[in-house]
């Protein structure tokens, strides 16, 4: 068995979060210092010390919720956005605490000055850490194992994703003993779907033995192991795999959050909905709202509401048809509404009425659900929970994400559900609305050969392997 030193990024994560919290606290102190002409009274010093524990706790919570810890996985824009939205939430929470705790009272100018200082200092520090991480976190050589069609899909996704830190060196479509010689030559192994379970086990076991990192595209049974608890039968350790169904306590917490978010959302967005309604009516004189029967928990049907983004009677001559990225039925105004997600706002009424949840699998039409189940049997498990306005697939996936991968996201959400996860996905949805991948949509339409050409790479066929190397 080989052993080697590994970087897990713990030091950089601790530095990033620890110094960020220190900068937030320091910003308040400096604001006090200048507000009171460099003479801080004992009263204000005492108030400053009293607020520090709240700042630390709220900072840790919101840095976690906004995934600021994931500095090794995020792009520069992502990590800056996550840090800035965290600062907004930390300061809003601080204001709420000051309002509720009558014993604490900060001048508004202190809050203003400290917020500006936080944005400047956290931005600079995050930039420094992110650039340092990029220098020390070298790209690792990787290998894809799977049949040709599946391995091509994985290769394309790796080439498209500019944030990854992998150099794909080999593709193995032939699963034999020769494969292990090439595993020895790389740092990481990606196991594509479609490989038999016993072969997966052999590959993962070998990777563990040789100190290699392995990535697995999961099946339902593998997703079921996620967050499994450990139970013992005398001295036999076992994994306890719970049902995918949510407990009554979790359903109560989820419904409470849904009611809170939907009411607040409707109060905040009703002026926007009125403006959008007027614009749609003036645009072509058609119906403002689009209503369609969809499936939610336990296959119950309900009428989903959206602002209409397609031409009137879009399916009159075609019948049920899935929308595509460049669907000619979508109006120019509809494209704007879809890109900003404003067309989804009426679904807040669906959430309020209890037909939907804020977070969950997207509601599907019965016709398409039956079609998907024929090819993807696991699709039926999506209706274990209520349909959602947003979810894993909407935040982490793309418009072009395949149904197979969308169901993986949905099942991962159901298995991993928590109150904090819902909050995190709601915040991530806001980010998706405003921060878009500029080039991924263009690259999706390209073939693997075209993407390899862009990276100045070529494939070299060998007896049992495909090698990818730089062109000379």
């Amino acid at each position: 068995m080989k052993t080697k030193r590994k970087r897990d990024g713990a030091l950089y994560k601790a530095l990033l979060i620890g110094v960020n919290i220190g900068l937030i606290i320091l910003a308040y102190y400096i604001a006090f210092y200048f507000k009171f002409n460099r003479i801080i009274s004992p009263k204000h010093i005492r108030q400053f010390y009293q607020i520090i524990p709240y700042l630390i706790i709220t900072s840790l919570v919101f840095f976690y919720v906004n995934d600021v810890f994931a500095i090794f996985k995020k792009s520069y824009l992502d990590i800056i956005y996550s840090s800035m939205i965290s600062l907004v939430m930390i300061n809003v929470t601080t204001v709420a605490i000051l309002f509720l705790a009558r014993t604490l009272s900060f001048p508004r100018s202190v809050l203003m000055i400290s917020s500006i200082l936080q944005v400047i200092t956290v931005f600079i520090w995050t930039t420094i850490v992110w650039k340092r991480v990029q220098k020390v976190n070298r790209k690792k050589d990787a290998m894809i194992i799977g049949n040709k069609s599946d391995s091509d899909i994985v290769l394309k996704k790796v080439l498209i994703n500019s944030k990854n830190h992998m150099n794909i060196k080999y593709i193995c479509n032939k699963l034999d003993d020769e494969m292990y010689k090439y595993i020895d030559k790389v740092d990481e192994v990606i196991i594509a779907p479609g490989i038999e379970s016993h072969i997966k086990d052999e590959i993962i076991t070998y990777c563990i033995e040789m100190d290699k990192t392995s990535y697995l595209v999961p099946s339902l049974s593998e997703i079921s192991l996620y967050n499994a608890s450990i139970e013992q039968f005398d001295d036999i350790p076992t994994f306890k795999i719970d049902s995918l169904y949510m407990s009554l306590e979790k359903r109560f917490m989820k419904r409470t959050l849904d009611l809170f978010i939907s009411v607040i959302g409707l109060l905040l967005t009703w002026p926007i909905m009125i403006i959008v309604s007027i614009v749609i009516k003036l645009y072509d004189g058609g119906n403002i709202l689009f209503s369609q029967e969809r499936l939610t928990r336990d296959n119950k049907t309900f009428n989903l509401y959206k602002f209409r983004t397609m031409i009137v009677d879009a399916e009159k001559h075609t019948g049920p048809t899935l929308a595509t990225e460049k669907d000619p039925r979508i109006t120019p105004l509809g494209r704007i509404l879809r890109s900003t997600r404003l067309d989804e706002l009426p679904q807040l009424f669906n959430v309020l009425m209890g037909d939907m949840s804020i977070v969950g699998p997207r509601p599907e039409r019965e016709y398409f659900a039956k079609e998907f189940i024929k090819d993807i049997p696991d699709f039926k498990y999506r209706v274990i929970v209520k349909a959602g306005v947003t979810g894993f697939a909407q935040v982490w996936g793309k418009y072009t994400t395949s149904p197979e991968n969308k169901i993986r996201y949905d099942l991962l959400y159901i298995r991993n559900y928590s109150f904090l996860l819902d909050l995190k996905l709601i915040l991530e949805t806001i980010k998706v609305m405003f921060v878009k991948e500029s080039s991924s949509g263009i690259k999706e339409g390209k073939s693997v050969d075209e993407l390899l050409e862009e990276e100045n790479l070529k494939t070299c066929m060998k007896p049992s392997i495909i090698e990818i190397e730089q062109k000379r």
Side-chain angles (χ1 to χ4, degrees):
M1 183 183 292
K2 296 181 180 180
T3 59
K4 59 185 179 184
R5 294 173 62 188
K6 282 190 173 184
R7 294 180 185 268
D8 60 5
L11 176 61
Y12 287 102
K13 292 173 187 176
L15 275 174
L16 177 66
I17 302 303
V19 174
N20 275 352
I21 293 173
L23 291 172
I24 290 169
I25 295 170
L26 182 62
Y28 275 99
Y29 182 83
I30 293 172
F32 267 113
Y33 187 75
F34 283 105
K35 167 65 181 174
F36 298 105
N37 297 319
R38 304 176 186 178
I39 301 173
I40 308 176
S41 68
K43 174 189 173 184
H44 288 115
I45 284 287
R46 189 166 57 253
Q47 290 178 339
F48 171 72
Y49 285 137
Q50 286 175 334
I51 200 69
I52 286 176
Y54 297 104
L55 288 173
I56 293 172
I57 293 168
T58 55
S59 297
L60 288 171
V61 169
F62 290 123
F63 283 147
Y64 165 75
V65 168
N66 289 301
D67 218 13
V68 177
F69 297 95
I71 191 166
F72 277 80
K73 298 188 292 183
K74 289 195 169 193
S75 68
Y76 177 67
L77 185 62
D78 279 339
I79 203 71
I80 291 296
Y81 173 86
S82 297
S83 300
M84 294 302 111
I85 199 70
S86 295
L87 289 180
V88 171
M89 300 178 74
I90 291 164
N91 285 300
V92 168
T93 305
T94 302
V95 170
I97 291 169
L98 292 172
F99 177 78
L100 294 171
R102 299 296 182 180
T103 56
L104 299 172
S105 60
F106 280 20
R108 275 176 272 181
S109 56
V110 168
L111 295 170
M112 289 284 291
I113 294 168
S114 63
S115 296
I116 294 168
L117 288 173
Q118 288 166 23
V119 168
I120 294 169
T121 54
V122 169
F123 174 83
I124 293 171
W125 173 243
T126 303
T127 301
I128 291 169
V129 175
W130 188 86
K131 287 186 175 180
R132 177 61 183 167
V133 165
Q134 300 312 301
K135 286 183 179 179
V136 301
N137 193 30
R138 70 170 182 84
K139 283 200 170 189
K140 295 179 179 177
D141 292 337
M143 172 181 178
I144 300 172
I145 300 174
N147 63 50
K148 187 176 188 321
S149 59
D150 288 335
S151 57
D152 279 353
I153 291 170
V154 173
L155 174 60
K156 184 175 180 178
K157 297 297 182 182
V158 173
L159 292 171
I160 287 172
N161 184 5
S162 59
K163 291 179 284 187
N164 76 75
H165 295 277
M166 287 183 182
N167 283 320
I168 301 297
K169 299 292 288 183
Y170 307 107
I171 300 172
C172 178
N173 301 143
K174 189 177 179 182
L175 309 180
D176 56 17
D177 291 342
E178 193 74 14
M179 166 181 70
Y180 295 101
K181 295 179 182 178
Y182 290 95
I183 291 177
D184 292 338
K185 298 179 181 181
V186 297
D187 305 299
E188 301 180 333
V189 175
I190 305 172
I191 305 170
I195 297 177
E196 293 180 18
S197 296
H198 72 279
I199 298 178
K200 283 184 189 178
D201 292 343
E202 289 174 6
I203 294 169
I204 292 170
T205 301
Y206 187 79
C207 286
I208 292 171
E209 182 182 340
M210 303 308 294
D211 201 14
K212 309 290 183 182
T213 300
S214 56
Y215 297 87
L216 176 69
V217 180
S219 63
L220 173 62
S221 61
E222 288 152 352
I223 289 172
S224 297
L225 290 171
Y226 194 73
N227 278 347
S229 58
I230 298 174
E231 297 286 344
Q232 287 178 281
F233 296 140
D234 193 16
D235 59 351
I236 301 175
T238 65
F239 277 149
K240 180 186 177 184
I241 302 171
D242 290 319
S243 164
L244 287 173
Y245 287 89
M246 287 186 185
S247 65
L248 288 175
E249 293 83 1
K250 286 184 176 180
R251 286 171 63 173
F252 175 77
M253 287 197 309
K254 191 168 178 60
R255 182 59 184 154
T256 302
L257 180 64
D258 288 341
L259 286 171
F260 178 78
I261 297 292
S262 59
V263 170
I264 297 297
L266 287 168
L267 289 173
L268 292 176
T269 62
W270 70 263
I272 298 172
M273 287 198 273
I274 289 174
I275 293 170
V276 172
S277 300
I278 294 169
V279 172
I280 292 173
K281 197 66 179 177
L282 291 175
Y283 181 77
D284 61 8
N287 293 333
I288 294 169
L289 290 177
F290 167 77
S291 175
Q292 193 174 69
E293 201 172 77
R294 299 285 179 100
L295 295 176
T296 187
R297 188 175 63 207
D298 299 328
N299 279 314
K300 291 179 181 177
T301 58
F302 72 100
N303 288 320
L304 174 136
Y305 299 105
K306 297 176 71 173
F307 283 123
R308 183 174 57 83
T309 58
M310 290 188 174
I311 58 173
V312 179
D313 294 329
E315 292 186 341
K316 184 177 181 180
H317 302 293
T318 62
T321 307
L322 285 171
T324 57
E325 193 171 7
K326 296 180 180 179
D327 200 313
R329 299 172 300 167
I330 301 173
T331 65
L333 173 62
R335 293 193 188 282
I336 296 171
L337 294 177
R338 285 188 175 220
S339 65
T340 55
R341 308 293 173 93
L342 291 176
D343 63 318
E344 311 281 3
L345 286 178
Q347 288 169 50
L348 290 172
F349 289 105
N350 286 120
V351 176
L352 188 63
M353 292 185 291
D355 298 322
M356 294 178 66
S357 179
I358 292 293
V359 182
R362 286 296 292 153
E364 193 53 80
R365 296 165 71 176
E366 188 173 9
Y367 173 85
F368 291 119
K370 288 178 178 177
E371 291 298 310
F372 285 136
I373 288 172
K374 292 176 184 176
D375 298 321
I376 315 168
D378 294 343
F379 199 85
K380 61 179 176 287
Y381 296 112
R382 298 172 79 252
V383 292
I384 281 175
V385 297
K386 283 183 184 178
V389 178
T390 187
F392 259 19
Q394 285 64 52
V395 170
W396 290 355
K398 300 176 184 176
Y399 197 92
T400 54
T401 299
S402 67
E404 291 86 355
N405 283 324
K406 283 182 179 178
I407 188 60
R408 287 188 180 101
Y409 282 126
D410 291 336
L411 293 178
L412 281 167
Y413 168 73
I414 295 168
R415 168 56 66 193
N416 198 37
Y417 166 76
S418 70
F419 187 82
L420 271 180
L421 178 61
D422 270 10
L423 285 177
K424 185 175 181 178
L425 288 171
I426 290 166
L427 295 170
E428 288 285 332
T429 300
I430 297 171
K431 183 188 77 172
V432 169
M433 289 171 65
F434 296 105
V435 182
K436 298 184 182 297
E437 300 273 346
S438 59
S439 61
S440 63
I442 298 170
K443 290 185 176 181
E444 283 285 354
K446 295 185 177 181
S447 67
V448 170
D449 290 338
E450 289 173 323
L451 292 170
L452 288 170
E453 184 69 30
E454 283 185 3
E455 298 293 328
N456 198 34
L457 299 171
K458 66 176 182 178
T459 58
C460 179
M461 300 295 295
K462 292 191 173 181
S464 59
I465 209 87
I466 300 171
E467 185 173 355
I468 298 176
E469 56 187 29
Q470 287 283 338
K471 288 183 179 179
R472 293 180 181 177

